Every structure is written in structure tokens, then in C-alpha cells.
Amino acid sequence: MTARGKSMTVTARARRIFRKFGISADQAGVFSGKWHGRGTWLEKRSPIDGSLIGRVRQASPADYDAAVRAARGAFLAWRDLPAPKRGEVVRCLGQALREAKEDLGALVGIEAGKILAEGLGEVQEMIDICDFAVGLSRQLHGLTIASERKDHRMMEQWHPLGVVGIISAFNFPVAVWSWNSAVAAVCGDTTLWKPSEKTPFTAIACIKIAERVCRECRVDPAVFCLVVGDGSSVGERMTSDRRIPLVSATGSVRMGRRVAEVVGKRLGRSLLELGGNNGIIIAPSADLGLAVRAVLFGAAGTAGQRCTTTRRLFIHESIYDRVVRRLRKAYAQIPVGNPLDEGTLMGPLIDSAAVAGMQRALVAVVAEGARVIQGGEILKGRRYRPGHYVRPCIVEARADMTLIHEETFAPILYLLRYRRLADAVRDHNAVPQGLSSAIFTNDLREAELFLSARGSDCGIANVNIGTSGAEIGGAFGGEKDTGGGRESGSDAWKAYMRRQ
């Protein structure tokens, strides 16, 4: 960042980025091939310092309907475009994101509170999924199946589905849209995006980029539609709308249950990416330096607000004290502060409700007999206004405690001793969530057990790498209360198409 950039206020930085994307401080929050909005105004304040960065005019019921009609109209033409031609549009989108990476990554930091490296990394994920989708556009395939009838051919093929509704959360305000929209677009679908009300401007910036790309490629920009609004005004309409055959929703388990219920009543499809309560097992043979670095990144990164955040750490009793000493030393060195400043490793929680939720969880788990051994404090002082900054926390606990089975979206790491690997795996799998998991071991038998049917019950299982993050080429998602949905790579594209 330049010296001038460092001296600018958060609002000034945001407004400078707005100008580059063609965003106004009072911005319409609906895109249906054109920008409009007649609903209530939504104020957006940065979690960095509480400053107002802008206002967004949310969708009215008429705005929502206009966006759905536009997306449906665009679909009728888009589905007829050969898939490699659709891939070319997505290739151009990826290139535009490369050019906008620095500004969009900074805007993610301003609006979501991520450190700059994480904001840039999230935009890189968008670029990567565009690259993946371009290749996919030439590989959408079916089957020829042997028929029992003479002189008869039986085929299985895949067709575009229609308008895909995308509901995203604040913690990955741009990547989740791209995972869905890039793949859906090459599959021949159009998309209608409802972003989190906590991160509307990053969504608007993405659609501004997509709009420009579509116009340059001479396709209907309503391929990528946007509706900013709350759950009752937009989310409920989207989930109950028969014009939207698939709703892909990322967020809390409570939200996912509601989406599944409403979409299921109309026999539509839902793709759910919900809560995670991710665990790491550190075995006696583990490389402790490697393990501690992974735990630190997994538990404190994004201020503990990733769905893949490491929340539970199972440590073998023979190395427990050594691991705890290393963790405490590492935690004491985590710089907490303005996420746009160089050297910061952990920024703020998203808002005061998140801070209060963290404090309630700590009170509750201590009441169950747990012991906070480091961190958890709300940081005070001028540089930590408006009170969204906390120290990442380490808690000694037991696997049978109620709070251990719940996801608290904050940097709380629970330490749990184990004696036998089978016991650690059992306790690891005992929680309702099943997203990401990991084991650190140099014992091949332990690694293979963890990856077997008797091992981790999560959608993602890692060996000697942490729970956070995922590669674009694999299908991302989890089991149990995580929802069972899969996005991004592998054969996740089939969710966005209909089989014939």
C-alpha cells in the first residue's frame, strides 16, 4: 500500500475504490440488466472503525420480480449459446477479475474486515474458478449406455437448469458467488445473487465487473443478476419462487434448514453449505512445528469466521503440554488490528453481535467447567474502535461439553486430550457438523485410518494440512448439519444441470 493509501481514512479508501468500479456512495442494489432499487436504504459501516462507507437502495418486491424476469429472459438465449462460447465469456470475466484484484481485495477487507492477504486470496479463488470453468465448458459430458433393445441407442445427457439463486454469507463475500456463478454460467444457467446485507458493496463491485464483461462480449448482462435485501424481503421470495429451480445457500444451519424446508415444499433443489465445527487431531508422531502453524492459521485466520475455521484440537496426552506451550507462544505474537495495515494477522469480528456471541460462549463453556488459558478479551482503545477487536482465545475443555458441539463464529480454540486414536476420532465425529477435518501424523496407518470409512465423517479430510481452505479442483462441502451440498470442482457441475 502506498504512503498516501496508509494516510487515508477507511471511508476515503472505500470511495476511491467505488469510483474505479463505477459505484456511487448512494448506490442502487438491484441489477437486472440495468441498475435500480426502490426499497429501503441499507447503511454499510466498516467493521474496521465503524465508519459509514455508503448506502445501498435495497430491492422492493417489484425490483425482485424484475430481476427474476430478466434472469429468466437471459436464460432463454444463454442456454442456446454453445458451452465453449459461454466459457469464453467466463474467461473474460476471469481476466477482468485479475485486473481488478488489488481493488476488489481491498474492498473485501474494508467491508468484511479481512486482512489484505485474505482479501486478495479470496479474489484469486474467483480467478481460479473462472479458469476451471473455462476448461469445464469443453468437458460437459454424458454417457452412451448399452440398450437391451435391438437396433436401439440409449444416451444420458445434461441440459441447463434455468435461473440459479445464490445466497451468500459475509465471511466469503465474493468467492462463494464465483464458485456458483462461473460453473452455473458454463452449464448454461443464469444467476440471481442475494449477498449478505453485511457486505453489499463487494457484491455490487462483482456485478459491475460482470456487467462490463457481458456487454463487451455482446451477451445479455442479466446472465448475472443481483438483489440486495434482507431474508424476509428477498431470501424468502427466492426460496419459494418456482421460477428458480435451484437455490444455492451458504450460511448458518438455521438458515439452511429454512431454505431446505421452503424449497423442498415446492420440490425444488437446494445446495447447502452451512456450519462447520472443524477438528484437528495431533498424533504423537506429528511434526509439531507444521501442526502449530496450521492450527494458528486455521483457528485465528479471518478472526475465526470461516466455515472451515479450526475450532477443536485433539492432542495426544504424551505431547499435550509441548503443543500447548507452542500454541500459547504463537498466539501471544498474533498482531490484531486494522486489517489493511501491513503486518496485521487478525482483523475485527464483523460486528458487535459477533463480539457478544463470543463472550456469551466463553461464559457458558466456563460454567461447564472449561478453563480459558489465553485470550478472549475485547480490545480497548482508540485504535480498536468500535469494539469489534478481540484476542484469539484458547480454552481447555472436554469433548462432552455442550458448547463444544456448537459452532461459535469467533476465534475460540478448544483443546482436548486423547489417549487412543479411536477415541479421538469418535469424539471428533460426535458433533452435528461435518465440513472439514485434519490429522497431523507421520504414521501411515493413522493417516489411512483417518481417511477410511471408520475415520473422519466430514466432507473434507486432510492429512498434515489444516482445516482451512480448499482447492478449486475438488468438490467443496460437508455432511450432516453442514448440508450435504457440493460446490466448485470435481463433478459438482451436475447440480447446476438437469439429466435427460
Side-chain angles (χ1 to χ4, degrees):
M1 186 179 295
T2 64
R4 179 170 176 263
K6 290 181 179 179
S7 66
M8 296 177 70
T9 65
V10 171
T11 298
R13 292 182 189 179
R15 298 289 172 82
R16 184 174 66 174
I17 295 171
F18 285 0
R19 287 192 292 272
K20 292 183 179 181
F21 289 124
I23 298 171
S24 63
D26 286 338
Q27 171 67 42
V30 181
F31 182 73
S32 60
K34 61 181 180 180
W35 290 93
H36 54 99
R38 289 174 288 178
T40 58
W41 285 100
L42 171 67
E43 288 190 348
K44 173 56 192 177
R45 295 183 179 275
S46 173
I48 295 174
D49 64 355
S51 59
L52 179 67
I53 62 173
R55 301 192 307 164
V56 175
R57 195 72 179 264
Q58 299 181 97
S60 68
D63 292 322
Y64 170 82
D65 286 333
V68 176
R69 288 196 304 271
R72 177 64 187 174
F75 168 71
L76 298 178
W78 184 247
R79 67 181 178 182
D80 287 338
L81 198 66
K85 296 293 185 183
R86 299 192 295 256
E88 174 62 14
V89 176
V90 174
R91 186 194 68 79
C92 293
L93 176 60
Q95 182 57 36
L97 289 169
R98 281 182 173 86
E99 296 167 359
K101 181 177 177 179
E102 295 292 327
D103 290 320
L104 187 55
L107 186 56
V108 168
I110 290 169
E111 195 167 49
K114 289 190 173 186
I115 63 172
L116 190 56
E118 291 178 334
L120 295 174
E122 185 170 349
V123 180
Q124 186 60 49
E125 288 191 36
M126 303 175 77
I127 296 165
D128 292 344
I129 193 61
C130 286
D131 289 348
F132 176 88
V134 172
L136 177 65
S137 70
R138 294 182 181 272
Q139 297 179 28
L140 300 172
H141 61 273
L143 294 172
T144 298
I145 303 169
S147 173
E148 64 186 27
R149 289 174 285 187
K150 184 181 178 181
D151 298 328
H152 184 80
R153 182 176 65 171
M154 182 162 54
M155 296 174 56
E156 177 182 280
Q157 57 185 350
W158 295 84
H159 292 305
L161 190 59
V163 180
V164 175
I166 302 170
I167 300 173
S168 63
F170 76 86
N171 59 330
F172 280 88
V174 294
V176 170
W177 169 74
S178 68
W179 296 345
N180 284 274
S181 61
V183 174
V186 299
C187 288
D189 302 324
T190 56
T191 57
L192 179 66
W193 182 18
K194 179 209 169 301
S196 169
E197 305 96 287
K198 298 178 182 181
T199 50
F201 280 107
T202 48
I204 290 167
C206 291
I207 298 302
K208 287 280 188 179
I209 294 169
E211 177 192 8
R212 175 172 60 82
V213 167
C214 286
R215 296 195 189 284
E216 291 173 352
C217 293
R218 299 187 178 182
V219 298
D220 189 343
V223 167
F224 303 105
C225 287
L226 176 73
V227 279
V228 174
D230 60 27
S232 59
S233 65
V234 172
E236 287 287 336
R237 289 178 181 274
M238 182 183 289
T239 54
S240 61
D241 196 332
R242 289 184 174 273
R243 296 171 292 180
I244 301 176
L246 170 65
V247 176
S248 175
T250 301
S252 68
V253 174
R254 184 181 67 174
M255 180 274 290
R257 292 188 193 279
R258 178 61 180 167
V259 170
E261 176 187 4
V262 176
V263 175
K265 281 185 177 179
R266 61 178 174 89
L267 299 181
R269 300 187 197 178
S270 57
L271 193 165
L272 303 176
E273 298 287 355
L274 310 176
N277 191 356
N278 313 291
I280 291 178
I281 297 172
I282 302 182
S285 65
D287 179 331
L288 298 188
L290 181 67
V292 167
R293 288 193 298 272
V295 171
L296 187 73
F297 176 76
T302 321
Q305 297 173 117
R306 298 190 191 107
C307 54
T308 55
T309 289
T310 304
R311 306 199 184 280
R312 297 173 298 140
L313 183 62
F314 298 86
I315 310 169
H316 191 269
E317 60 184 12
S318 66
I319 57 171
Y320 183 88
D321 291 338
R322 278 189 289 158
V323 171
V324 172
R325 283 196 299 270
R326 290 192 181 205
L327 275 174
R328 295 190 66 170
K329 182 178 179 180
Y331 264 59
Q333 298 174 26
I334 296 175
V336 180
N338 187 323
L340 302 181
D341 290 347
E342 293 179 8
T344 298
L345 291 184
M346 194 178 102
L349 292 174
I350 188 66
D351 54 26
S352 57
V355 176
M358 177 179 178
Q359 298 306 306
R360 285 195 302 271
L362 291 176
V363 169
V365 78
V366 168
E368 288 191 82
R371 186 168 70 98
V372 176
I373 62 172
Q374 190 153 330
E377 309 92 348
I378 301 173
L379 297 178
K380 306 293 185 180
R382 184 175 180 180
R383 65 187 293 242
Y384 298 120
R385 294 175 183 172
H388 298 165
Y389 295 86
V390 298
R391 290 284 181 201
C393 185
I394 303 175
V395 179
E396 289 188 320
R398 299 188 316 273
D400 62 348
M401 291 179 174
T402 301
L403 259 293
I404 305 299
H405 293 249
E406 300 177 6
E407 179 188 40
T408 301
F409 231 50
I412 301 174
L413 177 65
Y414 297 111
L415 306 185
L416 306 153
R417 294 175 185 260
Y418 81 90
R419 178 172 296 175
R420 297 171 57 248
L421 180 59
D423 296 334
V425 172
R426 179 200 63 209
D427 291 340
H428 173 276
N429 292 349
V431 298
Q433 309 84 359
L435 179 52
S436 187
S437 60
I439 187 170
F440 281 80
T441 180
N442 285 326
D443 186 322
L444 182 60
R445 292 171 300 178
E446 290 182 331
E448 289 296 331
L449 172 66
F450 188 73
L451 298 176
S452 75
R454 291 182 289 126
S456 169
D457 64 355
C458 294
I460 302 170
N462 302 286
V463 175
N464 292 332
I465 189 171
T467 61
S468 290
E471 293 192 31
I472 290 301
F476 179 86
E479 301 301 321
K480 302 187 295 188
D481 279 6
T482 302
R486 294 297 188 275
E487 295 171 335
S488 193
S490 186
D491 66 347
W493 60 270
K494 292 179 179 178
Y496 302 92
M497 305 195 81
R498 61 180 178 87
R499 190 193 309 250
Q500 184 180 71

